[in-house]
Amino acid sequence: MDAANRPEERKTPDDRQKMTELERIRHSCAHVLATAILRLWPDAQFAAGPPVENGFYYDVELSHRISPEDFPKIEEEMKKEIKANHPFEKIVVAREQAVKDAQSGRLGALGARSVPSRYKLGNLEDIPEGEQITYYQNGDFIDLCAGPHVMRTGNIGAFKLTHVASAYYKGDEKNPQLQRIYGTAFKNKTQLDEYFKMLEEAKRRDHRKIGAEMGLFVIDTEYVGPGLPLWLPKGAAIVEELEKLAKETEFAAGYVRVKTPHLAKEKMYLTSGHLPYYEESMFPPMRLQAEGKLNVTIQGYESQMDALKQEMAEELKKSLPDEVPPIHSQKDFVEFVGNFFRSFPREKQMAFDALSKVILFNEVGMAGAGEVDRYYLKAMNCPHHHRIFAAEPRSYRDLPLRLAEYGTCYRYEQSGELIGLMRVRSLNMNDAHIYCAPEQFASEFNAVNEMYLKYFKIFGIEKYVMRFSTSSPQGMGKKYVNEPELWKKTEDMVRQVLIDSKINYVEVPNEAAFYGPKIDVQAWSVIGREFSIATNQVDFAQPRSFDLRYKDRDNTEKTPICIHRAPLGTHERFIGFLIEHYAGNFPLWLSPEQVRILTIGDEPELLDYARAILNELRGHQVRAEIDISTDKINGKIQRAEQMKVHTMFVIGKRDLEAKVISVRVHGRGNLGATPRDEVISTLLEQIKTRAA
């Protein structure tokens, strides 16, 4: 499911009242958009029109196919509505009245119509019993809406329509496909102009464009697959530098490093709870015949199949009396098992699935089949780390235990959501799990946040916010582990640490991880573009699920708290952010090619001098290359500038005679000639200190 078709999670009335001023402006602008469209095309049928990140949209069913060519006339009508300065009036109605108005075609319209407001009827069904039903009216337009809005249409400020996409009603492909019209709005034209200027600069800095120009990575969809980046040598150099930074920082902070495999048995993820909570984001399992468990043969399998078919049908009829499909063949049976076996108790799941393998093996000519082990590519490192914790007896003296790994994970992101390095299926994660006693939690959690701040300083990130994501009562047992008291206790602990440490944070309800509250780190690049780059999560559920224990001072066994943290996120997303943050002009320590030596001429003595400098640099692990081509020096410089080489050593006959190096820095030009030893010493110090 692509981003346009992902269903928006319904916000509660309390959530809606927390809308920012800018979100209210954008929500109001969506209503003005609907008003304008109805004036141009009165038969338009509207579904939902919420504010979203960076703007708003409204979904509409319309026989006319709206295109960007229509935007000027739509915007002209919107301006008329804004100039009219109509108030946004809230109207409270009974459910019966709302149904009656929708049936009359009045909702999402400028007046009653001959056809019902069918999508508003569908939206009414989503409003829980007992929740207040409200309309908002601006001028002649009345919409089913929980609000909130600005006071009047004239308060909207500056706006612009941006693009059109397709979206299924309620995000379900079984429903009609609607036109989704996007726009954005700001308090004034200055802010609007700044936003679009930032978008233009973001296009210029697009990590996919710069990554291709600099030869950092490729995504080979034909042979490797979508969302599975291949790091080229220059991109791998950045990866190595980030790992080096993380390992040095974590070693100093008392972390120990571990290594884990790329896959694990199904039992691992059933225990952790990632199955079934996270199943849609995991690659399908690999099925392997379990050694020493061959207990079913082909002989007599037909009677076993018939008996099990009957048992399955009887089970299904209890809950799905009208949905049992006809089973006429082995293939029908296998498909039937694949679709429904997860709805049965665990022991029957295994029996049904084992028999389906017997049938499959028979069809390809195998002699028999036994129990089958399922292996999943790991979508996260934490379960493996939990097993490492459990591998040895633990005491309170061992805590806090900080296990770190740059582990590779695999997530089955939908193809429509894959975006260069920002959304991938293979992730190299700066992962660690901290196991601590409750009294150690505050200092450990705060230390992780301090590590974030250290990294921000290194990378020149000046604007950031910690998004503190909490649970919701409605999600207990569905979206979240059903432990309301533990959720409250843990959320209170995290909140207090954030308050005490005076870290910039905002609280966001109903966005926690399934096993505990989390912090998502939002950072802004130098051009003001927002990125989600890292996470810090608290887990009270998995340590209990894996029966993790330590002996406390009183010799009693207790369960540790686990902190999941990834300050540098993944190589993929973080490097994507850095490419756009720096526009490819990386600081010296991080630059894929730190130094390129350019010779003026090709005399043997000159080339020997240049190669001696190259060897000295590479002896200090400096990523240095040499250009000894016969091109003129201006051409060599231009080529190095285009490849964003950080530092150029320009060496001619006079440099050789004086034992100096003429230094150029990308984007800064010629810095003059300096004695060779001094140049190299300064360069090495800048790399060592990771100078900006």
Side-chain angles (χ1 to χ4, degrees):
M1 185 183 298
D2 61 31
N5 285 316
R6 192 188 307 124
E8 294 290 329
E9 188 164 328
R10 187 176 186 276
K11 291 182 171 60
T12 66
D14 287 343
D15 292 339
R16 289 176 174 273
Q17 292 308 313
K18 295 175 183 176
M19 275 190 194
T20 65
E21 180 184 3
L22 190 56
E23 287 173 328
R24 292 177 186 231
I25 288 173
R26 290 169 174 172
H27 188 196
S28 303
C29 202
H31 282 231
V32 170
L33 167 64
T35 306
I37 288 175
L38 284 165
R39 287 177 181 158
L40 295 168
W41 299 283
D43 61 328
Q45 287 271 0
F46 290 94
V52 292
E53 184 181 10
N54 297 324
F56 62 89
Y57 70 75
Y58 219 126
D59 287 342
V60 58
E61 182 184 74
L62 185 61
S63 56
H64 173 75
R65 187 66 195 175
I66 293 177
S67 71
E69 285 71 31
D70 294 313
F71 287 175
K73 61 183 177 184
I74 297 173
E75 290 173 344
E76 191 59 37
E77 290 295 332
M78 293 175 70
K79 290 174 183 175
K80 292 177 184 177
E81 178 64 16
I82 290 172
K83 186 176 180 180
N85 202 23
H86 289 130
F88 280 96
E89 299 180 79
K90 181 179 179 180
I91 304 168
V92 180
V93 297
R95 185 176 294 269
E96 295 76 12
Q97 182 62 46
V99 171
K100 182 179 178 182
D101 289 339
Q103 288 172 338
S104 74
R106 182 67 185 96
L107 297 186
L110 300 179
R113 299 188 287 188
S114 59
V115 293
S117 304
R118 50 186 173 275
Y119 298 112
K120 300 302 176 180
L121 283 167
N123 292 349
L124 274 168
E125 295 172 359
D126 295 335
I127 301 176
E129 288 293 335
E131 184 175 308
Q132 187 183 74
I133 296 175
T134 58
Y135 302 161
Y136 273 85
Q137 180 170 1
N138 56 285
D140 295 329
F141 180 67
I142 294 181
D143 203 5
L144 176 69
C145 178
H149 289 278
V150 295
M151 293 294 293
R152 310 181 73 87
T153 59
N155 298 134
I156 285 175
F159 71 91
K160 187 175 180 61
L161 300 182
T162 56
H163 61 288
V164 183
S166 296
Y168 293 108
Y169 177 53
K170 296 184 179 180
D172 189 339
E173 61 185 13
K174 296 176 182 177
N175 289 335
Q177 192 175 66
L178 308 177
Q179 299 182 64
R180 177 167 291 183
I181 303 153
Y182 285 93
T184 191
F186 289 86
K187 294 179 184 179
N188 53 57
K189 190 175 184 302
T190 299
Q191 292 180 357
L192 183 72
D193 290 343
E194 288 174 351
Y195 172 73
F196 282 101
K197 182 179 178 181
M198 183 270 289
L199 288 185
E200 285 302 313
E201 181 63 14
K203 288 180 184 178
R204 190 179 71 83
R205 292 170 176 252
D206 190 305
H207 75 279
R208 293 165 293 186
K209 173 177 174 289
I210 293 175
E213 292 170 351
M214 294 182 67
L216 303 180
F217 68 93
V218 295
I219 298 179
D220 183 345
T221 58
E222 182 178 3
Y223 284 88
V224 181
L228 303 171
L230 298 172
W231 292 103
L232 302 179
K234 290 183 178 180
I238 301 175
V239 168
E240 293 289 338
E241 284 292 347
L242 290 180
E243 282 205 31
K244 182 180 177 182
L245 169 64
K247 288 176 179 178
E248 289 177 3
T249 303
E250 289 164 1
F251 183 82
Y255 288 74
V256 291
R257 304 203 71 76
V258 296
K259 296 290 286 185
T260 60
H262 292 235
L263 72 169
K265 285 185 173 182
E266 180 183 50
K267 180 178 181 179
M268 175 86 91
Y269 302 113
L270 288 170
T271 303
S272 69
H274 289 98
L275 291 176
Y277 286 99
Y278 205 76
E279 186 171 11
E280 288 186 1
S281 295
M282 296 175 70
F283 275 84
M286 293 168 276
R287 294 173 170 85
L288 303 176
Q289 182 178 320
E291 293 183 8
K293 297 182 180 179
L294 196 63
N295 56 14
V296 181
T297 64
I298 290 301
Q299 294 177 343
Y301 87 91
E302 295 92 346
S303 61
Q304 293 183 41
M305 183 185 75
D306 290 341
L308 206 50
K309 280 167 51 180
Q310 182 63 35
E311 183 181 358
M312 290 176 71
E314 289 174 359
E315 288 277 0
L316 279 168
K317 284 177 181 176
K318 294 177 184 178
S319 56
L320 302 170
D322 300 322
E323 297 185 28
V324 180
I327 301 175
H328 302 302
S329 68
Q330 295 171 358
K331 288 185 177 179
D332 288 344
F333 176 67
V334 172
E335 183 177 355
F336 186 75
V337 171
N339 289 336
F340 295 103
F341 84 94
R342 289 188 179 88
S343 66
F344 292 98
R346 181 64 187 152
E347 63 275 6
K348 288 184 179 176
Q349 289 182 25
M350 297 177 68
F352 296 154
D353 193 58
L355 188 60
S356 75
K357 303 307 173 296
V358 173
I359 298 165
L360 283 174
F361 289 142
N362 181 59
E363 289 183 341
V364 298
M366 293 187 66
E371 293 185 22
V372 173
D373 284 332
R374 291 184 184 83
Y375 285 81
Y376 284 84
L377 286 171
K378 68 173 177 180
M380 60 298 296
N381 298 304
C382 42
H384 289 76
H385 289 191
H386 298 333
R387 296 304 300 161
I388 289 176
F389 182 95
E392 299 175 0
R394 305 292 180 182
S395 158
Y396 70 92
R397 295 184 180 89
D398 301 320
L399 304 185
L401 178 62
R402 309 177 186 97
L403 302 180
E405 177 183 19
Y406 251 108
T408 305
C409 298
Y410 304 88
R411 297 181 184 171
Y412 192 69
E413 302 287 0
Q414 298 298 314
S415 59
E417 297 181 357
L418 299 174
I419 308 172
L421 296 177
M422 295 302 183
R423 200 72 175 264
V424 294
R425 289 175 172 170
S426 172
L427 316 94
N428 292 276
M429 188 175 295
N430 170 223
D431 219 349
H433 297 88
I434 302 170
Y435 302 88
C436 62
E439 62 270 19
Q440 297 168 327
F441 171 80
S443 62
E444 290 299 312
F445 199 79
N446 187 60
V448 172
N449 290 336
E450 290 295 325
M451 191 178 288
Y452 285 118
L453 299 181
K454 174 183 177 179
Y455 288 146
F456 292 164
K457 186 175 181 180
I458 289 173
F459 294 107
I461 298 171
E462 297 180 353
K463 182 181 179 183
Y464 69 89
V465 68
M466 307 285 192
R467 283 172 55 90
F468 172 34
S469 300
T470 58
S471 62
S472 72
Q474 297 81 5
M476 292 298 160
K478 302 172 186 175
K479 187 176 177 181
Y480 308 116
V481 174
N482 194 18
E483 297 279 0
E485 292 183 8
L486 272 174
W487 274 102
K488 183 180 185 307
K489 178 181 177 181
T490 311
E491 288 169 357
D492 287 345
M493 291 168 64
V494 175
R495 188 180 295 107
Q496 194 59 50
V497 173
L498 291 169
I499 292 170
D500 292 345
S501 59
K502 297 181 172 57
I503 282 182
N504 182 30
Y505 83 97
V506 294
E507 191 162 328
V508 185
N510 201 28
E511 289 190 12
F514 75 85
Y515 47 66
K518 67 173 181 173
I519 288 175
D520 289 315
V521 182
Q522 305 298 119
W524 280 258
S525 68
V526 292
I527 64 168
R529 188 177 177 200
E530 182 181 1
F531 293 80
S532 179
I533 60 172
T535 187
N536 189 11
Q537 303 174 358
V538 187
D539 185 354
F540 57 77
Q542 286 192 51
R544 291 197 313 174
S545 299
F546 280 95
D547 196 24
L548 303 186
R549 302 181 185 186
Y550 67 94
K551 282 201 173 181
D552 208 350
R553 289 178 175 82
D554 58 4
N555 210 34
T556 61
E557 290 191 330
K558 294 184 178 177
T559 301
I561 294 174
C562 179
I563 299 173
H564 305 238
R565 44 107 290 179
L568 295 178
T570 67
H571 287 326
E572 291 74 20
R573 179 178 287 270
F574 197 71
I575 290 176
F577 164 76
L578 290 179
I579 291 171
E580 301 194 8
H581 182 58
Y582 292 124
N585 303 313
F586 296 100
L588 177 62
W589 70 275
L590 197 56
S591 182
E593 187 177 348
Q594 294 169 317
V595 178
R596 186 178 295 185
I597 302 170
L598 313 176
T599 59
I600 306 174
D602 58 357
E603 293 86 351
E605 298 84 356
L606 181 63
L607 298 184
D608 288 344
Y609 182 59
R611 289 193 181 101
I613 294 172
L614 176 68
N615 292 336
E616 183 175 358
L617 292 173
R618 294 184 69 82
H620 288 288
Q621 302 293 305
V622 177
R623 293 184 291 278
E625 303 292 341
I626 189 169
D627 185 346
I628 57 174
S629 67
T630 57
D631 295 344
K632 292 183 178 180
I633 189 61
N634 287 342
K636 293 182 180 183
I637 291 172
Q638 184 178 20
R639 193 158 53 237
E641 290 281 359
Q642 288 173 344
M643 292 305 295
K644 301 182 185 294
V645 177
H646 186 278
T647 298
M648 288 151 269
F649 286 177
V650 181
I651 301 173
K653 187 175 180 180
R654 283 183 294 182
D655 300 296
L656 168 62
E657 293 170 349
K659 301 300 181 189
V660 299
I661 297 172
S662 295
V663 180
R664 293 183 62 91
V665 174
H666 175 65
R668 294 171 58 190
N670 186 9
L671 303 186
T674 306
R676 168 181 167 172
D677 291 345
E678 183 180 333
V679 169
I680 294 176
S681 175
T682 300
L683 183 94
L684 295 177
E685 181 64 19
Q686 289 176 336
I687 293 173
K688 180 181 177 181
T689 59
R690 297 187 174 94

